[in-house]
Amino acid sequence: MASNPRPADAQAIDEAARRLADGELVAFPTETVYGLGADAASERAVAAVYRLKGRPSDHPLIVHVLDAAQAAWWAHWPTRAQRLAEAFWPGPLTLILPRRDAAPAFACGGQASIGLRAPSHPVARALLAAFAARGGHGVAAPSANRFGRVSPTRAGHVIDDLGDDAPLVLDGGPCEVGVESTIVDLTRDRPVLLRPGGITTAQLEAVLGERVLARDAAAPRASGTLDAHYAPVTPIELVDRGEIDARIAQLRARGERVALWARAGAGSAADVSLAMPADPELAARSLYDALRALDRSHCRRIVVERVPDDGAWHAVADRLRRAATGSSSRT
Ligand code: TXA
Ligand code: MG
């Protein structure tokens, strides 16, 4: 029996591209998180992704492409898209664009718009190139976790989550960015940030030469923007650094075992603790791995140090807030 996950050598990548072309699913690494991929032009394959993830069918998927040329098969390509793609593709940026009439609607939850991203991970690029050589136009891929769970940043996480249902998983090592791509909506008069990620608002604005607006009630639905999302099972709470020691003492006095993810120097009384890196990019890289590990540590509660909700910390703060919201509603 072939092992799964499989090291992403040339042979495994070719096998994965063949499977995609045959309408099967393949999980593969990107620089952000692992994706659960399907031929975006195959209705049957895309339906299988929704089924396996347990995702509502009106939540659109991101279509992964090699470059702007492939993107133009799917979407109209305004000047802003060209600028952003030149600056940040391949990389952790998803553009929401008007879908071309000829591009199938099932790839994007039936919306008139479509999310496109050219990932930079060498394995993702090799897979997209091999799939293109077999006539493929793009790979629809949500994060390779069950709906509402923490995204996988290692090949083993995909197996942990999908178990026996996991398709072939290409192992490309731990993801470098560690949180999902930045999503910017270019279908409206002004660019709108739908999801913070590895590319910051300031970086987008510097390239576009205009303000990028915050998401508002009129923004299209994005599952990453549901309040309770990216949540572990153990309840999580965000605590200001100066209050961590007192909060842990209070919880332990109640007899609760406490797990902690905080920067060095706080919370020495926690039962289990992992160090949060002081650098926001490194914190993003280890975020989901830390949440998964703490979730398995048999504690009653996970305390996480609150981080700044802007600049380079924006994406981490956003995911932590959603994780905390998700767990409190389940307590
Ligand atoms: O980093 C990433 O983006 C990862 C890797 C695998 O590329 N993918 C990912 O996919 O996070 P997923 O399906 O977990 O999240 C896709 C997000 C969802 O919030 C979805 O609603 C939004 O993109 N999205 C996709 N197409 C959209 C559209 N046409 N309009 C609005 N939002 C869209
Ligand atoms: Mg996801």
Side-chain angles (χ1 to χ4, degrees), residues 144-329:
N145 52 286
R146 305 241 189 233
F147 184 66
R149 312 304 312 162
V150 174
S151 292
T153 53
R154 296 174 182 272
H157 294 166
V158 180
I159 305 286
D160 292 346
D161 244 40
L162 301 181
D164 288 344
D165 295 336
L168 168 62
V169 181
L170 293 177
D171 189 347
C175 301
E176 211 177 307
V177 177
V179 291
E180 303 80 355
S181 59
T182 302
I183 304 183
V184 59
D185 183 0
L186 296 179
T187 65
R188 307 208 263 164
D189 295 345
R190 306 281 304 277
V192 177
L193 184 77
L194 297 187
R195 181 173 74 183
I199 307 288
T200 64
T201 301
Q203 285 177 289
L204 298 174
E205 290 178 341
V207 166
L208 291 172
E210 64 185 327
R211 287 284 313 283
V212 171
L213 305 183
R215 192 173 68 87
D216 59 35
R221 183 208 307 267
S223 71
T225 64
L226 295 178
D227 276 347
H229 208 60
Y230 310 113
V233 177
T234 313
I236 289 199
E237 60 184 66
L238 308 182
V239 178
D240 289 332
R241 182 172 180 78
E243 286 157 26
I244 289 175
D245 288 319
R247 181 61 180 151
I248 289 175
Q250 190 183 39
L251 292 167
R252 296 195 77 239
R254 279 195 220 156
E256 295 190 8
R257 273 172 58 82
V258 182
L260 175 74
W261 196 47
R263 288 177 275 194
S268 54
D271 294 280
V272 179
S273 75
L274 288 175
M276 178 194 290
D279 175 84
E281 285 179 17
L282 297 180
R285 190 179 299 170
S286 54
L287 170 69
Y288 290 139
D289 204 33
L291 291 183
R292 280 174 186 267
L294 295 176
D295 202 22
R296 283 192 312 264
S297 70
H298 305 290
C299 287
R300 175 72 189 80
R301 211 166 272 273
I302 301 173
V303 168
V304 176
E305 177 179 344
R306 194 186 300 282
V307 302
D309 195 9
D310 53 17
W313 283 101
H314 193 187
V316 175
D318 171 79
R319 303 310 189 275
L320 286 175
R321 188 172 51 245
R322 293 176 205 292
T325 307
S327 54
S328 64
S329 66

